[in-house]
Amino acid sequence: MILSPDEKVRGWGCSKCKGEDFEEGDRLRVLRNCDTEENQNIAWDWMPSLRRCPWSQIDGDAWACISWWSEYKELGALPWGGNDIMSQPNFVIEVIICCTELKNSIELEKAERRTQAWQKQNAK
């Protein structure tokens, strides 16, 4: 699950983050800012604060957490079974809350940028 509405990002990858089948993506590592700590913005509308390829930033444990949240939101499925979120271990509840807050933060940031653009346009 990725928060991007840009379907092309889901196909991104390189040999470092997705294995040998994605060696073709290695030529784009510089453009995607995968190997540097520099603060370059690759200017995604869906998450302007992310300054590097999303795959280079997310490890296996984080993907597991994102999967729990995604499956809960989309399917109502919980990682330890059942249908009551309160019966889950605390760390699962914390993951779901954290992912929800991150999603809300990103959506708020995007809405604020749209409002600023609208105000700027109307000021002309």
Side-chain angles (χ1 to χ4, degrees), residues 101-119:
E101 288 174 354
L102 176 62
K103 177 185 170 283
N104 292 342
S105 172
I106 292 167
E107 289 176 348
L108 178 62
E109 183 179 332
K110 191 173 182 178
E112 287 171 352
R113 281 195 336 269
R114 280 193 308 258
T115 300
Q116 290 171 354
W118 180 80
Q119 290 171 341

Side-chain angles (χ1 to χ4, degrees), residues 1 25 75 97 124:
M1 202 278 323
L75 307 172
I97 290 169
K124 291 181 181 182

Side-chain angles (χ1 to χ4, degrees), residues 15-110:
S15 60
K16 181 178 177 182
C17 65
K18 287 192 171 179
E20 293 177 13
D21 293 342
F22 286 83
E23 285 180 350
E24 185 178 310
D26 288 348
R27 63 184 173 79
L28 298 171
R29 291 181 64 78
V30 172
L31 293 174
R32 294 177 180 159
N33 202 20
C34 294
D35 300 317
T36 181
E37 295 299 321
E38 293 178 28
N39 199 14
Q40 300 173 359
N41 189 344
I42 47 183
W44 287 320
D45 286 340
W46 58 277
M47 192 172 186
S49 59
L50 183 64
R51 301 186 184 285
R52 297 171 73 186
C53 167
W55 309 122
S56 71
Q57 302 300 293
I58 302 172
D59 66 11
D61 291 340
W63 274 121
C65 293
I66 291 169
S67 295
W68 295 346
W69 175 77
S70 178
E71 290 167 1
Y72 173 67
K73 289 297 184 181
E74 293 174 16
L75 307 172
L78 293 164
W80 267 255
N83 58 5
D84 180 10
I85 193 166
M86 298 311 290
S87 68
Q88 300 296 299
N90 283 342
F91 64 90
V92 172
I93 296 169
E94 289 175 18
V95 162
I96 291 172
I97 290 169
C98 180
C99 289
T100 300
E101 288 174 354
L102 176 62
K103 177 185 170 283
N104 292 342
S105 172
I106 292 167
E107 289 176 348
L108 178 62
E109 183 179 332
K110 191 173 182 178

